[in-house]
């Protein structure tokens, strides 16, 4: 009789919402370390379980034998809960270098941290503790071209090399700290043409600023403060480096969850097109081979030194142009060069060398 009565009371309590059923979790090793000093080494790809206690922070120790990406996975929670967790990464000296707030309401949550070789401590803390426990695991992927935390300041910028694409992970803005900036440093040569590439601003549901900045450009606020003397270009821009020295790739996520992006600076060597010319009545048709979808500049004159030459700018989708109103029976010299479409403050254009000179006698 007592067992039946207890069962009826439990059923009524569950139906009324007074008690919530305890969710089932994967079997894992229970983590009880509540200080960095007592944290034990955690193995990769192994399930661990943390049983939450009010205001306690639980610690984990992980060792990376090389540079790469640490994946922090928290398992799916009750879809009706609003479970939020603070996850932070510390160096062996106790310096906090990364923090994020993870929302596991009804879905499993993954976040990624680029780290150098070494020993790190990962802390976990539950905000609301609607769930009695949570299972999680760590994974690691070797990557020699990923961002390395911390890199939210110029002084901590990740070194990049030209013509290499790097993998980064943009933090969210819910962590309560300025962990939503990424900086990369790269050395460029004055007068050389480059293209800045980053797909961080293409992610849906994210609000991101992506810029390549000169050494004098300030970033006191999330939007770079660009003066007339400062260098600043956007993703996709081709530009000519105005000085030899360090430039900074800057990514800021001021709204939205973490996401992966690729970033880099590529050297652009413009090639001279191959040109042919045919005569028309008081005109000449100039044709050329397509070069990397850039724009073109056609120059023509009545002398081989191109003194007093005239020019025609041609849109990048065209590979020919007809020059009209030329003098009949006159010999003309023609050459073509490709031109990079630039969008930078120094207001210069990147040109290839001129093509071989062609001559044509107009009909």
């Amino acid at each position: 009789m007592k067992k039946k009565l207890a069962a009826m009371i439990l059923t009524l309590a569950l139906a009324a919402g007074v008690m919530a059923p305890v969710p089932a979790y994967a079997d894992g090793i229970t983590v009880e370390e509540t200080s960095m000093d007592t944290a034990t080494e955690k193995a990769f790809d192994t399930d661990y379980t943390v049983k939450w206690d009010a205001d306690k922070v639980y610690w984990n120790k992980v060792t990376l034998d090389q540079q790469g990406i640490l994946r922090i996975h928290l398992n799916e929670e009750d879809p009706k809960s609003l479970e939020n967790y603070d996850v932070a990464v510390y160096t062996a000296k106790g310096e906090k270098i990364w923090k994020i707030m993870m929302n596991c309401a009804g879905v499993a949550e993954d976040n990624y941290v680029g780290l150098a070789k070494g020993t790190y401590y990962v802390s976990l803390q539950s905000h609301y503790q609607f769930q009695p426990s949570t299972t999680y695991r760590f994974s690691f992927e070797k990557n020699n071209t990923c961002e390395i935390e911390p890199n939210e300041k110029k002084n901590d910028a990740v070194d990049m090399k030209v013509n290499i694409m790097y993998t980064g992970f943009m933090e969210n803005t819910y962590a309560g700290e300025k962990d939503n900036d990424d900086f990369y440093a790269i050395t460029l040569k004055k007068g050389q043409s480059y293209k800045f590439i980053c797909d961080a601003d293409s992610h849906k549901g994210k609000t991101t600023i992506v810029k390549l900045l000169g050494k004098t450009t300030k970033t006191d606020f999330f939007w770079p403060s660009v003066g007339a003397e400062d260098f600043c270009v956007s993703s996709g821009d081709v530009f000519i480096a105005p000085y030899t020295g360090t430039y900074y790739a800057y990514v800021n996520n001021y709204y939205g969850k973490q996401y992966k992006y690729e970033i880099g600076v590529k050297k652009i060597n413009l090639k001279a097109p191959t040109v042919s010319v045919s005569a028309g009545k008081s005109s000449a048709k100039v044709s050329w081979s397509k070069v990397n979808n850039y724009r073109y500049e056609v120059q023509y004159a009545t002398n081989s030194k191109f003194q007093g030459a005239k020019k025609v700018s041609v849109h990048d989708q065209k590979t020919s142009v007809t020059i009209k109103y030329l003098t009949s029976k006159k010999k003309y010299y023609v050459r073509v060069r490709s031109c990079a479409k630039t969008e930078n403050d120094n207001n210069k254009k990147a040109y290839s060398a001129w093509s071989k000179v062609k001559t044509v006698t107009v009909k």
Side-chain angles (χ1 to χ4, degrees), residues 278-345:
S278 59
K281 187 176 181 180
S282 299
S283 66
K285 183 179 180 180
V286 184
S287 302
W288 56 88
S289 58
K290 189 174 184 179
V291 180
N292 293 330
N293 203 31
Y294 290 113
R295 297 187 179 190
Y296 304 91
E297 187 173 279
V298 179
Q299 193 177 57
Y300 62 98
T302 56
N303 61 86
S304 60
K305 294 184 179 181
F306 287 87
Q307 294 175 345
K310 296 182 180 180
K311 67 177 182 179
V312 178
S313 295
V314 182
H315 190 271
D316 52 8
Q317 298 301 317
K318 295 182 179 180
T319 56
S320 66
V321 66
T322 299
I323 304 172
K324 299 179 179 180
Y325 310 113
L326 300 179
T327 303
S328 182
K329 309 299 182 181
K330 193 77 173 178
K331 183 178 181 179
Y332 285 86
Y333 297 81
V334 182
R335 60 185 181 181
V336 181
R337 63 181 177 179
S338 57
C339 172
K341 182 181 179 183
T342 60
E343 299 290 347
N344 55 307
D345 291 338

Side-chain angles (χ1 to χ4, degrees), residues 12-29:
L12 291 171
L14 290 172
V18 176
M19 296 177 63
V22 178
Y25 294 90
D27 292 334
I29 303 168

Side-chain angles (χ1 to χ4, degrees), residues 205-232:
K206 318 297 179 185
T207 308
T208 307
I209 298 170
V210 180
K211 299 291 181 183
L212 182 67
L213 311 173
K215 57 187 177 183
T216 62
T217 309
K218 297 180 180 179
T219 53
D220 298 333
F221 194 49
F222 64 85
W223 193 270
S225 178
V226 182
E229 73 285 358
D230 296 323
F231 176 86
C232 179

Side-chain angles (χ1 to χ4, degrees), residues 116-129:
K117 176 182 177 180
T119 298
Y120 298 90
Y121 293 85
V122 182
S123 66
L124 304 175
Q125 184 176 20
S126 174
H127 271 291
Y128 305 118
Q129 297 176 278

Side-chain angles (χ1 to χ4, degrees), residues 170 180-182 184 198 200 208-210 249-253 261 263:
M170 196 69 258
N180 53 335
D181 290 337
D182 284 347
Y184 300 81
C198 183
T208 307
I209 298 170
V210 180
Y250 169 67
V251 184
N252 174 281
N253 179 29
Y261 64 86
I263 190 169

